[in-house]
Amino acid sequence: MLKQMGRASQAVLIILCVLMTVKSFEMEIIPANRIVAQIGETRILTCNTTGCASPRFSWRTQMDNPLGGTVNNHRTYSTLTMNPVSIVNSHDYLCTVFCGEKEKKEKSIKVELYSFPTDPIIEISPSLVAGEQVTVTCKIPDVYPSHHLEVLLKKEEHVLHEENFFQDDSTNTESKTVTYSFNLTAEDIGKEITCVAKLPIPSMDFEPKERVISQKLNANFGPQNTTITASPSNSLMEGEHLKLTCVTESNPPPHTFWRKQLAGDNIQHLIENNVLSIPHAHFTDSGQYICEVINLATNKTEKATVDIFVQGAPNIAELSIEPSTTVQEGENVSIQCFAESNPPSKIILRRKSDSADMGPYSEGGTLLLPSVTFLNGGVYECVAENKFGKSTKEITLNVEYGPKNTTISAIPATVVKEGDTVMMKCTSSGNPVPVISWKKMKATGESVKIFQGATLTIQNIKSADLGLYECEAYNHFGKEEKAVKLLVQGRLEKPDQMIPLIIAFSGVAAIAVPVVVILIYVSRKAKINGSYSLVKALRLKV
Ligand SMILES: *[C@@H]1O[C@H](CO)[C@@H](O)[C@H](O)[C@H]1NC(C)=O
Ligand SMILES: *[C@@H]1O[C@H](CO)[C@@H](O)[C@H](O)[C@H]1NC(C)=O
Ligand SMILES: *[C@@H]1O[C@H](CO)[C@@H](O)[C@H](O)[C@H]1NC(C)=O
């Protein structure tokens, strides 16, 4: 009995052992019973088996709708690929596995769908101008299920508009649009418009459930309130750096043009930039500057002007003589001096060598010298002065004239002894400087040029050297002559018997000279020798 029981239990053990070593047939669906898939993605469902040598697979939807995917059977598993996931995949899928003739197992998986693929798109109605109505449009593309969609439009933190689509009964992805209009104010410029789109489905696990996009309100306006600021100021010193800045309110930033108003309605065009810079301002930079701004988006133009005064010590820009710096006597001469100056300067014109209360003088910038004489020649000076300082310039007036004031000086004297040396120097004024030459009068009355130069030196004087000498001063405006007589003092015993000296330093007419010379000569000879032969005397001279 005990033996029988032992055998029976042995058999049970063996059967149990066999059952345990031969694996039982199992199946699973991966992922497990539920997935959340985004429309457009690719998803794969896998039906896997264990414990079955050659399982057979079958996929179907609960309501026997189309599968919406591709089945691939492998030895122990089968896949269902949804590429892309589309609205037709919104089902419970059932995978059935047959193992041999008798065994069959099945499992289901619920595929839940959503679509929220991209950020919203904001559009703000174009050509924004302050004061006009602006329309903000927020578009949420390809959303599903839209009846969960909530949209918020904000200006900075302020909620402008809220909209939901709870009433929707969408059966596929849809693009939703939210629109809101409001009156744009100048303060709105630059503020941020934000569109917040939410798809809050608590039962579905996906990210993100909220998408946000922002855009700045960028209204076109202006130009307006255009002004020019001048640095250091609109009144500045010469040499300073002048900076003019054109300031305006405009969006988009305008094109800026500078112009300068010139005397006589001429307009000078300057650079095109909102800052006009003149590194070293000059008097001539004084004047009216115009800044013109143009906003190409609004087609509006505005202008601003500024008057610039460049101040400083005068600068003599021009000092000239009319008709020319070299004139002839008798011409009417005018000397002009022009100074750049702000404030205007006092301009004094006068000859430099003249004292303040003497000679021609002018305070107006023009000095008239009617019918000039050689006395008017010289260096003229223009002095321009204002409260910031003074400036001086010189010019020489060259008055041309014929020789004048021709004089002769003799060293030691014109009365000499035989054997002496005499130097006779002739000077003459004239412009250009006269050329001096010496002539000697022959007994025949004919003058012979003997020397060119101012100083005539006669050494070891003999009786033949006696006579009348003429000095001629010449330039191309004329000539002037002077004569001097060279006399020899006799060697007399008694001083009281000395012949009175006759020194001729006068403008004796050339024709009259020989007669005088001869007479003097004859009388002198007669006094020395007691008698005199005119013929002998003349022969001596030749
Ligand atoms: C099926 O399951 C087995 C055992 O758990 C595992 O080793 C195998 O990788 C699975 N196959 C697939 C395709 O998931
Ligand atoms: C501005 O003016 C030009 C020509 O005058 C025109 O073509 C353009 O459309 C205008 N633009 C605007 C924004 O009014
Ligand atoms: C100089 O001016 C006077 C009067 O203004 C005039 O009569 C004279 O002809 C002028 N002389 C010359 C050389 O131009």
Side-chain angles (χ1 to χ4, degrees):
M1 181 73 187
L2 269 170
K3 215 174 184 179
Q4 276 182 341
M5 276 179 72
R7 266 193 214 115
S9 62
Q10 252 181 335
V12 170
L13 262 171
I14 290 160
I15 290 162
L16 273 173
C17 280
V18 167
L19 278 175
M20 280 171 79
T21 50
V22 175
K23 266 191 188 167
S24 62
F25 164 52
E26 293 294 342
M27 73 160 298
E28 59 170 349
I29 291 186
I30 306 161
N33 51 25
R34 179 169 175 265
I35 65 162
V36 173
Q38 176 151 236
I39 293 170
E41 291 175 340
T42 297
R43 293 306 286 260
I44 299 167
L45 304 180
T46 305
C47 192
N48 196 7
T49 63
T50 49
C52 182
S54 49
R56 283 173 292 116
F57 298 93
S58 154
W59 289 93
R60 58 192 176 89
T61 62
Q62 251 173 359
M63 311 290 287
D64 278 337
N65 281 307
L67 277 179
T70 316
V71 173
N72 276 298
N73 289 323
H74 304 267
R75 199 180 67 81
T76 59
Y77 68 94
S78 172
T79 58
L80 173 64
T81 303
M82 298 174 281
N83 182 21
V85 173
S86 76
I87 199 71
V88 301
N89 298 120
S90 181
H91 291 300
D92 283 350
Y93 282 85
L94 188 69
C95 175
T96 310
V97 189
F98 300 93
C99 187
E101 293 304 316
K102 304 227 173 87
E103 286 189 278
K104 167 190 161 186
K105 290 198 172 183
E106 57 186 16
K107 273 188 178 163
S108 74
I109 179 170
K110 188 177 177 64
V111 175
E112 288 176 273
L113 299 180
Y114 80 99
S115 178
F116 198 31
T118 60
D119 284 340
I121 298 156
I122 287 190
E123 273 174 22
I124 299 173
S125 61
S127 177
L128 296 187
V129 175
E132 289 188 3
Q133 201 177 60
V134 62
T135 300
V136 178
T137 302
C138 182
K139 182 181 167 192
I140 303 98
D142 302 328
V143 66
Y144 179 84
S146 59
H147 63 267
H148 283 284
L149 182 66
E150 292 172 41
V151 179
L152 221 68
L153 283 178
K154 298 196 291 183
K155 180 171 78 188
E156 299 282 300
E157 291 313 308
H158 168 71
V159 176
L160 291 172
H161 182 65
E162 229 177 320
E163 197 167 329
N164 63 57
F165 296 84
F166 299 163
Q167 310 306 318
D168 266 36
D169 51 357
S170 58
T171 53
N172 204 342
T173 59
E174 278 173 26
S175 291
K176 293 294 178 188
T177 301
V178 174
T179 299
Y180 182 73
S181 295
F182 62 99
N183 281 325
L184 193 71
T185 65
E187 293 81 65
D188 289 336
I189 310 309
K191 287 196 176 159
E192 208 142 75
I193 294 290
T194 304
C195 176
V196 182
K198 296 182 199 170
L199 202 59
I201 313 171
S203 59
M204 289 171 81
D205 187 20
F206 64 87
E207 283 301 329
K209 282 184 171 152
E210 181 176 307
R211 287 181 178 272
V212 179
I213 193 86
S214 293
Q215 188 175 317
K216 280 222 164 80
L217 272 175
N218 194 15
N220 298 328
F221 62 89
Q224 62 205 27
N225 301 328
T226 307
T227 53
I228 298 174
T229 59
S231 155
S233 100
N234 66 336
S235 178
L236 68 158
M237 294 301 294
E238 208 205 9
E240 282 189 311
H241 185 168
L242 173 64
K243 237 171 85 178
L244 300 179
T245 308
C246 193
V247 182
T248 188
E249 295 165 6
S250 173
N251 190 37
H255 289 266
T256 305
F257 300 91
W258 286 99
R259 299 168 211 276
K260 190 184 172 199
Q261 188 82 46
L262 299 176
D265 281 337
N266 283 326
I267 301 251
Q268 183 189 3
H269 290 256
L270 296 164
I271 48 163
E272 184 182 338
N273 199 329
N274 80 315
V275 177
L276 174 68
S277 191
I278 300 173
H280 297 281
H282 193 253
F283 296 119
T284 52
D285 294 317
S286 298
Q288 187 175 73
Y289 288 80
I290 304 157
C291 155
E292 188 170 351
V293 285
I294 298 162
N295 182 333
L296 293 182
T298 60
N299 263 6
K300 260 188 77 189
T301 296
E302 208 173 68
K303 277 184 198 173
T305 62
V306 67
D307 290 310
I308 296 297
F309 306 94
V310 181
Q311 297 194 312
N315 164 44
I316 295 175
E318 194 189 319
L319 176 59
S320 63
I321 298 182
E322 288 292 327
S324 133
T325 52
T326 297
V327 295
Q328 288 168 31
E329 287 193 309
E331 286 195 75
N332 293 332
V333 168
S334 110
I335 303 177
Q336 269 124 24
C337 183
F338 171 71
E340 293 170 337
S341 172
N342 189 14
S345 52
K346 186 167 115 178
I347 297 177
I348 292 172
L349 259 173
R350 72 147 80 90
R351 194 157 63 174
K352 208 180 167 190
S353 55
D354 293 341
S355 58
D357 50 355
M358 191 189 112
Y361 173 91
S362 151
E363 277 190 16
T366 302
L367 180 63
L368 292 172
L369 303 170
S371 189
V372 288
T373 70
F374 75 99
L375 294 170
N376 293 117
V379 176
Y380 283 78
E381 172 181 73
C382 174
V383 180
E385 183 168 13
N386 69 10
K387 65 173 174 178
F388 294 111
K390 70 174 176 184
S391 151
T392 305
K393 209 167 181 171
E394 292 177 358
I395 194 165
T396 301
L397 173 65
N398 188 22
V399 181
E400 291 183 321
Y401 59 99
K404 270 190 175 61
N405 302 335
T406 307
T407 56
I408 296 169
S409 58
I411 298 164
T414 50
V415 180
V416 292
K417 293 193 285 287
E418 275 188 35
D420 277 358
T421 293
V422 69
M423 271 182 0
M424 293 188 287
K425 190 177 179 194
C426 180
T427 58
S428 178
S429 74
N431 189 8
V433 172
V435 173
I436 309 282
S437 56
W438 286 92
K439 292 187 283 190
K440 189 171 180 214
M441 174 91 46
K442 292 208 283 189
T444 57
E446 190 190 349
S447 286
V448 178
K449 190 172 167 183
I450 55 168
F451 180 69
Q452 169 122 13
T455 307
L456 174 68
T457 304
I458 306 169
Q459 288 171 321
N460 190 17
I461 290 177
K462 296 185 267 305
S463 56
D465 296 321
L466 306 180
L468 191 75
Y469 289 83
E470 286 176 331
C471 152
E472 183 192 273
Y474 170 86
N475 68 15
H476 62 265
F477 295 99
K479 68 175 179 180
E480 195 178 55
E481 289 178 340
K482 279 282 145 72
V484 65
K485 196 170 14 159
L486 191 60
L487 304 170
V488 174
Q489 184 185 349
R491 294 179 191 277
L492 300 176
E493 303 297 312
K494 293 171 190 170
D496 54 275
Q497 279 185 290
M498 267 222 264
I499 294 160
L501 306 176
I502 303 162
I503 302 163
F505 278 104
S506 61
V508 183
I511 301 144
V513 171
V515 182
V516 179
V517 170
I518 291 161
L519 288 175
I520 292 169
Y521 190 74
V522 168
S523 69
R524 194 179 143 272
K525 254 312 196 232
K527 294 239 165 106
I528 295 168
N529 303 337
S531 68
Y532 185 74
S533 153
L534 184 64
V535 176
K536 195 182 165 194
L538 286 172
R539 199 183 295 137
L540 262 173
K541 281 194 81 177
V542 176

